[in-house]
Protein backbone atom coordinates (compact mmCIF):
# COMPACT_ATOMS: atom_id res chain seq x y z
CA UNK A 1 0.00 0.00 0.00
CA UNK A 2 1.23 3.47 -0.82
CA UNK A 3 1.27 6.27 1.74
CA UNK A 4 0.20 9.78 0.73
CA UNK A 5 3.00 12.30 1.14
CA UNK A 6 0.89 15.26 0.01
CA UNK A 7 1.98 17.80 -2.60
CA UNK A 8 5.75 17.72 -2.60
CA UNK A 9 8.76 17.79 -4.86
CA UNK A 10 9.47 14.10 -5.40
CA UNK A 11 10.88 13.97 -8.90
CA UNK A 12 13.90 11.72 -8.40
CA UNK A 13 16.72 12.25 -8.95
CA UNK A 14 17.27 15.96 -9.46
CA UNK A 15 20.47 17.17 -11.08
CA UNK A 16 23.25 19.16 -9.47
CA UNK A 17 23.88 21.96 -11.92
CA UNK A 18 26.07 25.00 -11.47
CA UNK A 19 24.58 27.96 -13.35
CA UNK A 20 27.17 30.45 -14.59
CA UNK A 21 26.54 34.12 -15.33
CA UNK A 22 28.27 37.50 -15.27
CA UNK A 23 26.91 40.10 -12.87
CA UNK A 24 26.38 43.79 -13.69
CA UNK A 25 30.08 44.53 -13.02
CA UNK A 26 31.19 41.69 -15.29
CA UNK A 27 32.28 39.50 -12.36
CA UNK A 28 31.88 35.75 -13.01
CA UNK A 29 29.40 34.09 -10.69
CA UNK A 30 27.91 30.63 -10.34
CA UNK A 31 25.13 29.10 -8.25
CA UNK A 32 24.05 25.53 -7.68
CA UNK A 33 20.55 24.59 -8.81
CA UNK A 34 18.67 21.30 -8.63
CA UNK A 35 15.43 22.32 -10.33
CA UNK A 36 16.30 21.75 -13.96
CA UNK A 37 16.02 19.44 -16.91
CA UNK A 38 15.59 18.95 -20.62
CA UNK A 39 12.50 20.70 -21.97
CA UNK A 40 12.81 20.45 -25.76
CA UNK A 41 14.80 18.45 -28.29
CA UNK A 42 14.28 20.68 -31.34
CA UNK A 43 15.64 23.24 -30.80
CA UNK A 44 17.67 21.65 -28.01
CA UNK A 45 16.66 23.42 -24.78
CA UNK A 46 16.98 22.99 -21.05
CA UNK A 47 15.23 24.76 -18.23
CA UNK A 48 16.44 25.79 -14.82
CA UNK A 49 14.52 27.42 -11.99
CA UNK A 50 16.08 30.28 -10.02
CA UNK A 51 14.62 32.31 -7.17
CA UNK A 52 14.32 36.04 -8.01
CA UNK A 53 16.18 36.82 -4.76
CA UNK A 54 19.33 35.12 -6.07
CA UNK A 55 22.21 37.15 -7.52
CA UNK A 56 22.14 34.91 -10.61
CA UNK A 57 18.54 35.84 -11.44
CA UNK A 58 19.21 39.45 -12.49
CA UNK A 59 22.46 38.47 -14.20
CA UNK A 60 20.83 35.91 -16.47
CA UNK A 61 18.03 38.32 -17.38
CA UNK A 62 20.49 41.15 -18.11
CA UNK A 63 22.96 39.09 -20.16
CA UNK A 64 20.36 36.83 -21.82
CA UNK A 65 22.73 33.89 -21.35
CA UNK A 66 23.86 31.27 -18.86
CA UNK A 67 25.92 28.12 -18.70
CA UNK A 68 25.29 24.87 -16.91
CA UNK A 69 28.45 23.26 -15.56
CA UNK A 70 27.82 19.71 -14.41
CA UNK A 71 30.12 18.72 -11.56
CA UNK A 72 31.49 15.24 -11.05
CA UNK A 73 31.49 13.47 -7.69
CA UNK A 74 35.04 14.64 -7.04
CA UNK A 75 33.81 18.24 -6.91
CA UNK A 76 30.86 17.72 -4.54
CA UNK A 77 32.21 20.12 -1.89
CA UNK A 78 32.74 22.91 -4.42
CA UNK A 79 29.31 22.39 -5.98
CA UNK A 80 27.74 22.47 -2.52
CA UNK A 81 29.58 25.69 -1.68
CA UNK A 82 28.32 27.35 -4.87
CA UNK A 83 24.82 26.75 -3.48
CA UNK A 84 25.61 28.01 0.03
CA UNK A 85 27.40 31.32 -0.62
CA UNK A 86 26.01 34.37 -2.41
CA UNK A 87 27.92 35.81 -5.34
CA UNK A 88 26.72 39.23 -4.28
CA UNK A 89 29.37 39.43 -1.58
CA UNK A 90 31.64 36.43 -2.27
CA UNK A 91 33.96 35.47 -5.12
CA UNK A 92 33.07 31.77 -5.17
CA UNK A 93 35.69 30.97 -7.79
CA UNK A 94 38.50 32.52 -5.74
CA UNK A 95 37.29 30.83 -2.55
CA UNK A 96 37.14 27.34 -4.11
CA UNK A 97 40.16 27.72 -6.40
CA UNK A 98 38.04 26.78 -9.42
CA UNK A 99 38.48 28.54 -12.76
CA UNK A 100 35.84 30.74 -14.42
CA UNK A 101 36.18 30.28 -18.18
CA UNK A 102 34.53 32.72 -20.59
CA UNK A 103 32.25 30.90 -23.03
CA UNK A 104 33.19 31.55 -26.63
CA UNK A 105 29.57 31.52 -27.81
CA UNK A 106 27.38 32.94 -25.01
CA UNK A 107 27.89 35.82 -22.57
CA UNK A 108 28.45 33.67 -19.48
CA UNK A 109 31.28 31.85 -17.69
CA UNK A 110 31.53 28.17 -16.89
CA UNK A 111 33.52 26.13 -14.37
CA UNK A 112 36.68 24.93 -16.11
CA UNK A 113 37.24 21.93 -13.83
CA UNK A 114 33.76 20.41 -14.26
CA UNK A 115 33.61 17.70 -16.95
CA UNK A 116 30.48 18.84 -18.82
CA UNK A 117 29.28 22.31 -19.81
CA UNK A 118 26.11 23.38 -21.60
CA UNK A 119 26.14 26.89 -23.09
CA UNK A 120 22.74 28.56 -23.40
CA UNK A 121 21.18 31.71 -24.68
CA UNK A 122 18.10 32.73 -22.73
CA UNK A 123 15.09 31.90 -24.86
CA UNK A 124 12.25 32.43 -22.37
CA UNK A 125 11.71 33.33 -18.74
CA UNK A 126 8.57 32.87 -16.72
CA UNK A 127 7.75 33.82 -13.15
CA UNK A 128 6.20 30.89 -11.33
CA UNK A 129 5.68 31.21 -7.59
CA UNK A 130 8.93 31.10 -5.61
CA UNK A 131 11.03 30.57 -8.75
CA UNK A 132 11.46 31.89 -12.25
CA UNK A 133 11.95 29.38 -15.01
CA UNK A 134 14.72 30.14 -17.47
CA UNK A 135 14.56 28.25 -20.74
CA UNK A 136 17.91 28.19 -22.46
CA UNK A 137 18.50 27.18 -26.04
CA UNK A 138 21.63 25.04 -26.10
CA UNK A 139 24.17 26.77 -28.31
CA UNK A 140 27.08 24.50 -27.46
CA UNK A 141 28.17 21.58 -25.29
CA UNK A 142 31.70 21.03 -24.03
CA UNK A 143 32.96 17.80 -22.49
CA UNK A 144 36.26 16.63 -21.10
CA UNK A 145 37.68 13.90 -23.33
CA UNK A 146 38.05 11.71 -20.23
CA UNK A 147 34.23 11.68 -19.92
CA UNK A 148 33.76 10.22 -23.42
CA UNK A 149 33.67 6.73 -24.85
CA UNK A 150 33.72 6.49 -28.63
CA UNK A 151 32.99 10.21 -28.84
CA UNK A 152 29.85 10.02 -26.68
CA UNK A 153 29.27 10.98 -23.08
CA UNK A 154 29.78 8.04 -20.75
CA UNK A 155 27.67 8.27 -17.58
CA UNK A 156 30.13 6.28 -15.49
CA UNK A 157 33.10 8.37 -16.60
CA UNK A 158 31.17 11.63 -16.24
CA UNK A 159 30.12 10.66 -12.70
CA UNK A 160 27.56 13.49 -12.32
CA UNK A 161 26.20 14.40 -8.91
CA UNK A 162 22.54 13.77 -8.15
CA UNK A 163 20.51 15.41 -5.39
CA UNK A 164 17.90 13.93 -3.07
CA UNK A 165 15.40 16.57 -1.94
CA UNK A 166 14.08 14.66 1.10
CA UNK A 167 17.48 13.44 2.29
CA UNK A 168 19.23 16.72 1.45
CA UNK A 169 22.14 14.61 0.22
CA UNK A 170 24.23 14.13 -2.89
CA UNK A 171 24.47 10.80 -4.63
CA UNK A 172 26.59 9.35 -7.40
CA UNK A 173 25.54 7.32 -10.40
CA UNK A 174 24.88 3.62 -9.87
CA UNK A 175 25.16 0.57 -12.05
CA UNK A 176 23.77 0.16 -15.54
CA UNK A 177 20.33 -1.46 -15.36
CA UNK A 178 19.89 -2.14 -19.06
CA UNK A 179 19.94 -0.73 -22.57
CA UNK A 180 17.24 1.84 -23.40
CA UNK A 181 14.88 0.97 -26.24
CA UNK A 182 15.68 -2.69 -25.86
CA UNK A 183 14.61 -3.77 -22.36
CA UNK A 184 10.94 -3.27 -23.23
CA UNK A 185 11.14 -5.12 -26.53
CA UNK A 186 9.94 -8.28 -24.79
CA UNK A 187 6.53 -6.56 -24.51
CA UNK A 188 6.57 -5.16 -28.03
CA UNK A 189 4.43 -7.18 -30.36
CA UNK A 190 4.84 -6.83 -34.08
CA UNK A 191 1.50 -6.55 -35.84
Amino acid sequence: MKKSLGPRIAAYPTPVWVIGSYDSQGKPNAMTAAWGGVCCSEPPCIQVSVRPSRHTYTSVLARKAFTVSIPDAGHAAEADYFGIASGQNTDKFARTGLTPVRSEIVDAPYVGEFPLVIECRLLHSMELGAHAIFVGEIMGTLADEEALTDGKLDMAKLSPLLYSVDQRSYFGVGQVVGKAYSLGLKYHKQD
Side-chain angles (χ1 to χ4, degrees):
M1 172 181 267
K2 294 194 183 350
K3 177 181 176 163
S4 174
L5 301 176
R8 66 185 313 135
I9 300 165
Y12 277 81
T14 60
V16 176
W17 286 356
V18 175
I19 311 305
S21 61
Y22 288 113
D23 69 13
S24 59
Q25 284 77 45
K27 182 179 105 182
N29 184 45
M31 68 160 276
T32 302
W35 304 166
V38 174
C39 61
C40 189
S41 57
E42 197 56 45
C45 294
I46 56 174
Q47 67 82 23
V48 64
S49 297
V50 176
R51 288 182 181 264
S53 62
R54 300 298 184 247
H55 190 56
T56 297
Y57 172 83
T58 54
S59 300
V60 170
L61 287 176
R63 300 285 182 134
K64 305 288 189 232
F66 62 93
T67 61
V68 175
S69 296
I70 299 177
D72 57 355
H75 288 99
E78 292 86 348
D80 189 54
Y81 179 74
F82 278 131
I84 294 170
S86 171
Q88 198 156 16
N89 51 28
T90 304
D91 183 339
K92 298 180 201 181
F93 286 101
R95 181 67 57 96
T96 60
L98 296 178
T99 310
V101 179
R102 179 176 293 279
S103 167
E104 293 183 12
I105 57 177
V106 299
D107 189 15
Y110 61 85
V111 181
E113 290 80 3
F114 291 179
L116 183 61
V117 175
I118 303 169
E119 301 163 299
C120 300
R121 78 175 176 93
L122 182 63
L123 196 58
H124 300 290
S125 65
M126 179 176 75
E127 303 294 321
L128 185 68
H131 290 80
I133 297 172
F134 293 145
V135 175
E137 180 178 3
I138 299 170
M139 306 305 292
T141 304
L142 305 168
D144 287 350
E145 288 187 35
E146 296 81 22
L148 304 176
T149 298
D150 298 327
K152 297 182 180 178
L153 288 166
D154 184 314
M155 184 75 79
K157 290 179 178 179
L158 185 62
S159 186
L161 286 175
L162 305 173
Y163 178 67
S164 167
V165 176
D166 282 337
Q167 293 175 297
R168 296 181 66 135
S169 298
Y170 299 111
F171 287 82
V173 175
Q175 66 187 29
V176 174
V177 174
K179 198 80 169 141
Y181 308 108
S182 63
L183 284 176
L185 288 178
K186 69 180 187 178
Y187 300 107
H188 186 65
K189 187 177 182 181
Q190 297 290 18
D191 294 325

